[in-house]
Amino acid sequence: MKIRKAVVPAGGWGTRLLPATKALPKESLPLVNKPIIQWVVEEAVASGIHQVIIITNSLKRPMEDHFDRSFELEYVLARKGDTKMLEEIRRITDLASIAYLRQKEQLGLGHAILVAKDLVGDEPFAVFLPDDIIDAPVPAMKQMLQVFERYKCSVIAIERVDPEATSRYGIISPKPIAHRVYQVQDLVEKPDPAEAPSNLAIVGRYILTPEIFEYLERTPPGRGGEIQLTDGLKLLLERQAIYGYEFEGVRHDAGTPIGLIKATISLGLKDPEIGPELREFLRSLPVGTSEPAARTPK
Ligand code: G1P
Protein backbone atom coordinates (compact mmCIF):
# COMPACT_ATOMS: atom_id res chain seq x y z
CA MET A 1 0.00 0.00 0.00
CA LYS A 2 1.33 3.39 -0.93
CA ILE A 3 2.16 5.87 1.83
CA ARG A 4 0.52 9.14 0.78
CA LYS A 5 0.51 11.19 3.95
CA ALA A 6 3.13 12.56 6.30
CA VAL A 7 2.49 13.93 9.78
CA VAL A 8 5.00 16.47 11.07
CA PRO A 9 4.58 17.28 14.77
CA ALA A 10 5.69 20.90 15.19
CA GLY A 11 3.62 21.99 18.16
CA GLY A 12 6.41 22.01 20.74
CA TRP A 13 7.87 25.09 22.41
CA GLY A 14 11.46 24.58 21.31
CA THR A 15 12.67 25.00 24.89
CA ARG A 16 16.08 23.47 24.12
CA LEU A 17 16.69 26.36 21.73
CA LEU A 18 15.58 29.23 23.98
CA PRO A 19 15.99 32.19 23.86
CA ALA A 20 16.22 31.91 20.03
CA THR A 21 12.75 30.37 19.98
CA LYS A 22 11.04 32.82 22.33
CA ALA A 23 9.08 34.47 19.53
CA LEU A 24 10.05 32.32 16.53
CA PRO A 25 9.13 28.69 15.81
CA LYS A 26 12.19 26.45 16.00
CA GLU A 27 11.10 24.97 12.66
CA SER A 28 11.56 28.43 11.11
CA LEU A 29 15.19 28.76 12.20
CA PRO A 30 17.57 28.67 9.24
CA LEU A 31 19.63 25.63 8.42
CA VAL A 32 22.13 26.84 5.79
CA ASN A 33 19.75 28.81 3.56
CA LYS A 34 16.27 27.52 4.31
CA PRO A 35 14.13 26.95 7.39
CA ILE A 36 14.29 23.58 9.12
CA ILE A 37 10.68 22.78 8.19
CA GLN A 38 11.50 23.06 4.48
CA TRP A 39 14.25 20.44 4.78
CA VAL A 40 11.69 18.07 6.29
CA VAL A 41 8.94 18.71 3.74
CA GLU A 42 11.53 18.26 0.97
CA GLU A 43 12.52 14.87 2.41
CA ALA A 44 8.85 13.82 2.36
CA VAL A 45 8.44 14.95 -1.25
CA ALA A 46 11.73 13.31 -2.30
CA SER A 47 10.34 10.10 -0.80
CA GLY A 48 7.18 10.39 -2.93
CA ILE A 49 4.90 11.73 -0.15
CA HIS A 50 3.02 14.84 -1.23
CA GLN A 51 0.35 15.29 1.45
CA VAL A 52 1.83 16.80 4.57
CA ILE A 53 -0.07 17.41 7.81
CA ILE A 54 1.80 19.78 10.11
CA ILE A 55 0.76 19.86 13.76
CA THR A 56 1.20 23.42 14.97
CA ASN A 57 0.37 25.74 17.84
CA SER A 58 -0.68 29.37 18.05
CA LEU A 59 2.91 30.67 17.79
CA LYS A 60 3.77 28.89 14.55
CA ARG A 61 2.34 31.32 12.01
CA PRO A 62 5.72 32.16 10.38
CA MET A 63 6.16 28.46 9.60
CA GLU A 64 2.81 28.38 7.77
CA ASP A 65 3.55 31.64 5.95
CA HIS A 66 6.74 30.13 4.55
CA PHE A 67 4.73 27.79 2.32
CA ASP A 68 2.13 30.40 1.41
CA ARG A 69 2.18 32.59 -1.64
CA SER A 70 3.74 36.04 -1.22
CA PHE A 71 2.54 38.26 -4.05
CA GLU A 72 4.46 41.30 -2.79
CA LEU A 73 7.74 39.38 -2.71
CA GLU A 74 7.10 37.86 -6.13
CA TYR A 75 6.38 41.36 -7.48
CA VAL A 76 9.61 42.75 -6.01
CA LEU A 77 11.73 39.88 -7.37
CA ALA A 78 10.08 40.13 -10.81
CA ARG A 79 10.79 43.86 -10.92
CA LYS A 80 14.41 43.26 -9.94
CA GLY A 81 14.66 40.64 -12.68
CA ASP A 82 15.76 37.99 -10.15
CA THR A 83 14.08 35.12 -11.99
CA LYS A 84 16.17 32.47 -10.24
CA MET A 85 14.93 33.44 -6.76
CA LEU A 86 11.41 34.05 -8.09
CA GLU A 87 11.29 30.47 -9.35
CA GLU A 88 12.64 29.21 -6.03
CA ILE A 89 10.02 31.17 -4.04
CA ARG A 90 7.24 29.74 -6.23
CA ARG A 91 8.67 26.22 -5.99
CA ILE A 92 8.42 26.39 -2.18
CA THR A 93 4.75 27.40 -2.45
CA ASP A 94 3.99 24.43 -4.69
CA LEU A 95 6.21 21.92 -2.88
CA ALA A 96 3.44 19.85 -1.30
CA SER A 97 -0.19 19.92 -0.32
CA ILE A 98 0.07 21.06 3.29
CA ALA A 99 -2.63 21.00 5.96
CA TYR A 100 -2.15 22.57 9.38
CA LEU A 101 -3.78 21.29 12.54
CA ARG A 102 -3.42 22.91 15.92
CA GLN A 103 -2.43 20.92 18.95
CA LYS A 104 -4.34 22.87 21.54
CA GLU A 105 -2.51 21.44 24.53
CA GLN A 106 1.09 20.24 24.60
CA LEU A 107 0.47 16.76 25.93
CA GLY A 108 3.34 14.97 24.20
CA LEU A 109 4.39 13.43 20.90
CA GLY A 110 1.79 10.65 21.06
CA HIS A 111 -0.92 13.27 21.59
CA ALA A 112 0.39 15.34 18.64
CA ILE A 113 0.07 12.29 16.37
CA LEU A 114 -3.47 11.68 17.64
CA VAL A 115 -4.45 15.20 16.52
CA ALA A 116 -3.96 13.98 12.92
CA LYS A 117 -6.22 10.92 13.33
CA ASP A 118 -9.18 12.12 11.26
CA LEU A 119 -7.07 13.64 8.48
CA VAL A 120 -4.94 10.51 8.15
CA GLY A 121 -7.89 8.13 8.21
CA ASP A 122 -7.53 4.39 7.81
CA GLU A 123 -4.19 4.16 6.01
CA PRO A 124 -0.53 3.79 6.97
CA PHE A 125 1.33 7.09 7.16
CA ALA A 126 4.77 8.57 7.71
CA VAL A 127 5.93 10.70 10.64
CA PHE A 128 8.79 13.18 10.47
CA LEU A 129 10.14 14.86 13.61
CA PRO A 130 11.70 18.11 12.40
CA ASP A 131 14.40 18.12 15.12
CA ASP A 132 16.05 15.22 13.30
CA ILE A 133 17.60 16.28 10.03
CA ILE A 134 18.99 13.31 8.14
CA ASP A 135 21.63 13.78 5.49
CA ALA A 136 21.54 10.69 3.29
CA PRO A 137 22.26 9.79 -0.33
CA VAL A 138 18.80 8.19 -0.49
CA PRO A 139 16.30 10.03 1.74
CA ALA A 140 15.91 8.13 5.03
CA MET A 141 12.13 7.89 4.57
CA LYS A 142 12.57 6.48 1.06
CA GLN A 143 14.83 3.78 2.50
CA MET A 144 12.18 2.99 5.14
CA LEU A 145 9.43 2.72 2.54
CA GLN A 146 11.25 -0.25 1.05
CA VAL A 147 11.24 -1.98 4.44
CA PHE A 148 7.52 -1.20 4.82
CA GLU A 149 6.81 -2.65 1.34
CA ARG A 150 8.43 -5.88 2.44
CA TYR A 151 6.96 -6.34 5.94
CA LYS A 152 3.70 -4.29 5.71
CA CYS A 153 4.02 -3.30 9.37
CA SER A 154 5.14 -0.18 11.24
CA VAL A 155 8.78 0.73 10.69
CA ILE A 156 10.83 3.01 12.91
CA ALA A 157 14.18 4.58 12.09
CA ILE A 158 16.91 3.56 14.48
CA GLU A 159 20.52 4.48 15.10
CA ARG A 160 23.21 3.19 17.42
CA VAL A 161 24.01 5.79 20.08
CA ASP A 162 26.57 6.11 22.84
CA PRO A 163 25.33 3.76 25.61
CA GLU A 164 25.56 6.70 28.04
CA ALA A 165 23.05 8.66 25.93
CA THR A 166 20.07 6.28 26.09
CA SER A 167 18.12 8.61 28.40
CA ARG A 168 17.70 11.05 25.52
CA TYR A 169 15.89 8.60 23.19
CA GLY A 170 13.31 5.90 22.82
CA ILE A 171 15.28 2.63 22.88
CA ILE A 172 14.31 -0.69 21.32
CA SER A 173 15.02 -4.24 22.30
CA PRO A 174 16.09 -5.67 18.93
CA LYS A 175 16.01 -9.05 17.21
CA PRO A 176 18.12 -8.86 14.02
CA ILE A 177 16.28 -10.35 11.05
CA ALA A 178 17.90 -8.89 7.91
CA HIS A 179 20.60 -6.44 6.87
CA ARG A 180 19.91 -3.28 8.95
CA VAL A 181 16.46 -4.61 9.92
CA TYR A 182 15.39 -5.66 13.44
CA GLN A 183 12.11 -6.97 14.74
CA VAL A 184 11.24 -4.87 17.77
CA GLN A 185 10.75 -6.96 20.91
CA ASP A 186 10.12 -4.05 23.25
CA LEU A 187 10.46 -0.26 23.45
CA VAL A 188 11.28 2.05 26.35
CA GLU A 189 11.13 5.84 26.35
CA LYS A 190 14.36 7.48 27.53
CA PRO A 191 15.68 4.75 29.86
CA ASP A 192 18.69 5.28 32.10
CA PRO A 193 21.75 3.50 30.64
CA ALA A 194 21.53 0.80 33.33
CA GLU A 195 17.97 -0.09 32.29
CA ALA A 196 18.29 0.32 28.52
CA PRO A 197 17.61 -2.91 26.57
CA SER A 198 20.19 -1.88 23.91
CA ASN A 199 21.79 1.23 22.49
CA LEU A 200 19.58 1.24 19.39
CA ALA A 201 17.76 4.56 19.59
CA ILE A 202 14.62 5.72 17.84
CA VAL A 203 15.26 8.57 15.42
CA GLY A 204 12.49 10.91 14.26
CA ARG A 205 11.20 9.00 11.22
CA TYR A 206 8.37 6.47 11.50
CA ILE A 207 5.97 4.64 9.21
CA LEU A 208 2.91 3.78 11.26
CA THR A 209 -0.13 1.62 10.60
CA PRO A 210 -3.45 3.34 11.39
CA GLU A 211 -4.05 0.98 14.33
CA ILE A 212 -1.60 3.16 16.27
CA PHE A 213 -4.39 5.72 16.84
CA GLU A 214 -6.48 3.21 18.76
CA TYR A 215 -3.51 2.42 21.00
CA LEU A 216 -2.48 6.05 21.48
CA GLU A 217 -6.00 6.77 22.69
CA ARG A 218 -5.41 4.21 25.42
CA THR A 219 -1.86 5.25 26.25
CA PRO A 220 -1.58 6.76 29.73
CA PRO A 221 0.81 9.66 30.36
CA GLY A 222 4.36 8.33 30.63
CA ARG A 223 7.80 9.91 30.88
CA GLY A 224 7.52 13.60 31.79
CA GLY A 225 3.75 13.20 32.26
CA GLU A 226 3.33 13.19 28.46
CA ILE A 227 1.55 10.78 26.12
CA GLN A 228 4.54 9.13 24.50
CA LEU A 229 4.51 7.66 21.00
CA THR A 230 7.00 5.06 22.24
CA ASP A 231 4.46 3.87 24.84
CA GLY A 232 1.72 3.70 22.18
CA LEU A 233 4.00 1.59 19.98
CA LYS A 234 4.71 -0.73 22.91
CA LEU A 235 0.95 -1.34 23.21
CA LEU A 236 0.63 -1.83 19.43
CA LEU A 237 3.26 -4.60 19.68
CA GLU A 238 0.62 -6.79 21.36
CA ARG A 239 -1.24 -6.89 18.04
CA GLN A 240 1.24 -6.22 15.24
CA ALA A 241 4.93 -6.62 14.56
CA ILE A 242 7.07 -3.49 14.44
CA TYR A 243 10.40 -3.25 12.63
CA GLY A 244 13.40 -1.08 13.32
CA TYR A 245 15.50 0.01 10.38
CA GLU A 246 19.05 1.28 10.79
CA PHE A 247 19.05 3.87 8.01
CA GLU A 248 22.07 4.86 5.95
CA GLY A 249 22.96 8.49 6.53
CA VAL A 250 23.98 11.03 9.13
CA ARG A 251 21.47 12.42 11.60
CA HIS A 252 21.74 15.88 13.09
CA ASP A 253 19.79 17.04 16.13
CA ALA A 254 18.65 20.45 14.94
CA GLY A 255 16.73 20.94 18.19
CA THR A 256 19.75 22.08 20.24
CA PRO A 257 22.16 24.98 19.66
CA ILE A 258 25.20 22.70 19.20
CA GLY A 259 23.29 20.27 16.96
CA LEU A 260 22.01 23.10 14.81
CA ILE A 261 25.54 24.53 14.44
CA LYS A 262 26.96 21.11 13.50
CA ALA A 263 24.14 20.55 10.99
CA THR A 264 24.71 24.01 9.52
CA ILE A 265 28.43 23.34 9.10
CA SER A 266 28.06 19.81 7.65
CA LEU A 267 25.28 20.74 5.24
CA GLY A 268 26.85 24.13 4.50
CA LEU A 269 30.10 22.41 3.43
CA LYS A 270 28.07 20.43 0.89
CA ASP A 271 26.35 23.51 -0.52
CA PRO A 272 27.92 24.45 -3.85
CA GLU A 273 27.57 28.19 -3.25
CA ILE A 274 28.52 28.38 0.42
CA GLY A 275 30.75 25.29 0.79
CA PRO A 276 34.10 26.49 -0.62
CA GLU A 277 34.20 29.72 1.41
CA LEU A 278 32.97 27.97 4.57
CA ARG A 279 35.73 25.32 4.20
CA GLU A 280 38.34 28.06 3.84
CA PHE A 281 36.95 29.88 6.88
CA LEU A 282 37.01 26.73 9.02
CA ARG A 283 40.62 26.03 7.99
CA SER A 284 41.59 29.56 9.02
CA LEU A 285 40.32 29.07 12.57
CA PRO A 286 42.87 28.36 15.31
CA VAL A 287 42.39 24.69 16.30
CA GLY A 288 43.27 22.98 19.59
CA THR A 289 43.09 26.03 21.81
CA SER A 290 40.14 27.26 23.78
CA GLU A 291 41.67 30.73 24.19
CA PRO A 292 41.52 33.34 21.45
CA ALA A 293 45.00 33.73 19.87
CA ALA A 294 45.49 37.28 21.22
CA ARG A 295 45.13 36.08 24.83
CA THR A 296 47.68 33.26 24.78
CA PRO A 297 50.49 33.91 27.31
CA LYS A 298 53.61 35.68 25.96
C1 G1P B 1 11.20 11.89 20.63
C2 G1P B 1 10.74 10.48 20.97
C3 G1P B 1 11.95 9.58 21.24
C4 G1P B 1 12.87 9.61 20.04
C5 G1P B 1 13.26 11.07 19.69
C6 G1P B 1 14.03 11.10 18.39
O1 G1P B 1 11.79 12.45 21.77
O2 G1P B 1 9.89 10.53 22.11
O3 G1P B 1 11.51 8.27 21.46
O4 G1P B 1 14.04 8.86 20.32
O5 G1P B 1 12.10 11.89 19.54
O6 G1P B 1 14.48 12.38 18.11
P1 G1P B 1 12.10 14.04 21.92
O7 G1P B 1 13.44 14.26 21.30
O8 G1P B 1 11.01 14.75 21.19
O9 G1P B 1 12.11 14.30 23.38
Side-chain angles (χ1 to χ4, degrees):
M1 188 179 190
K2 189 163 161 42
I3 304 289
R4 304 185 304 150
K5 299 177 185 177
V7 176
V8 182
W13 295 109
T15 48
R16 293 186 304 163
L17 279 164
L18 280 169
T21 47
K22 181 165 178 263
L24 201 65
K26 65 176 171 179
E27 298 81 7
S28 295
L29 295 179
L31 179 48
V32 188
N33 56 359
K34 52 194 178 197
I36 288 171
I37 191 71
Q38 188 181 330
W39 287 87
V40 172
V41 173
E42 283 178 346
E43 185 187 326
V45 171
S47 307
I49 304 171
H50 298 270
Q51 295 181 45
V52 180
I53 302 163
I54 304 184
I55 312 299
T56 71
N57 68 36
S58 55
L59 295 176
K60 305 281 176 152
R61 278 285 303 276
M63 183 179 65
E64 301 184 21
D65 292 345
H66 182 68
F67 295 104
D68 204 347
R69 193 120 192 232
S70 171
F71 290 106
E72 295 97 321
L73 182 60
E74 287 184 23
Y75 174 76
V76 170
L77 291 173
R79 223 177 42 176
K80 269 176 67 184
D82 191 347
T83 39
K84 198 172 157 222
M85 190 47 76
L86 183 59
E87 274 168 26
E88 177 60 7
I89 293 298
R90 288 194 176 138
R91 185 186 71 83
I92 296 167
T93 309
D94 297 333
L95 205 51
S97 162
I98 305 182
Y100 301 94
L101 280 175
R102 285 208 179 167
Q103 185 182 12
K104 293 172 194 120
E105 285 174 284
Q106 268 48 55
L107 300 181
L109 177 59
H111 175 257
I113 303 290
L114 258 183
V115 171
K117 181 181 175 214
D118 290 341
L119 268 194
V120 169
D122 193 23
E123 58 184 280
F125 61 102
V127 174
F128 292 76
L129 306 190
D131 276 359
D132 287 330
I133 295 294
I134 303 178
D135 179 19
V138 174
M141 183 55 73
K142 199 168 181 181
Q143 299 175 41
M144 292 168 71
L145 288 170
Q146 288 176 3
V147 182
F148 174 76
E149 272 306 307
R150 169 139 187 224
Y151 297 98
K152 312 265 189 272
C153 283
S154 297
V155 180
I156 52 191
I158 50 170
E159 178 183 79
R160 232 169 249 292
V161 295
D162 180 347
E164 293 306 306
T166 55
S167 59
R168 300 213 304 260
Y169 303 93
I171 301 289
I172 67 160
S173 166
K175 179 175 154 205
I177 54 162
H179 181 56
R180 293 182 175 271
V181 182
Y182 301 82
Q183 186 167 349
V184 174
Q185 309 293 293
D186 196 10
L187 312 89
V188 198
E189 180 68 2
K190 304 198 171 98
D192 287 337
E195 270 119 52
S198 77
N199 66 337
L200 282 173
I202 302 173
V203 169
R205 300 289 181 275
Y206 308 73
I207 296 171
L208 302 175
T209 56
E211 287 77 21
I212 188 66
F213 292 121
E214 208 180 295
Y215 289 90
L216 282 174
E217 273 166 349
R218 287 202 248 138
T219 304
R223 188 122 194 149
E226 297 188 334
I227 298 171
Q228 298 291 350
L229 176 57
T230 305
D231 296 342
L233 287 165
K234 189 182 164 87
L235 294 180
L236 179 66
L237 257 189
E238 291 166 10
R239 174 146 147 214
Q240 290 178 352
I242 299 176
Y243 295 89
Y245 172 67
E246 217 176 336
F247 59 92
E248 277 180 68
V250 177
R251 178 199 45 119
H252 299 287
D253 180 1
T256 63
I258 182 67
L260 189 53
I261 291 170
K262 286 182 184 172
T264 305
I265 293 174
S266 324
L267 295 166
L269 284 171
K270 291 186 165 187
D271 185 279
E273 276 175 34
I274 297 164
E277 193 176 333
L278 178 60
R279 180 164 285 107
E280 213 173 288
F281 169 70
L282 292 172
R283 279 211 189 102
S284 76
L285 293 175
V287 185
T289 168
S290 55
E291 294 288 317
R295 290 178 59 200
T296 44
K298 287 188 189 109

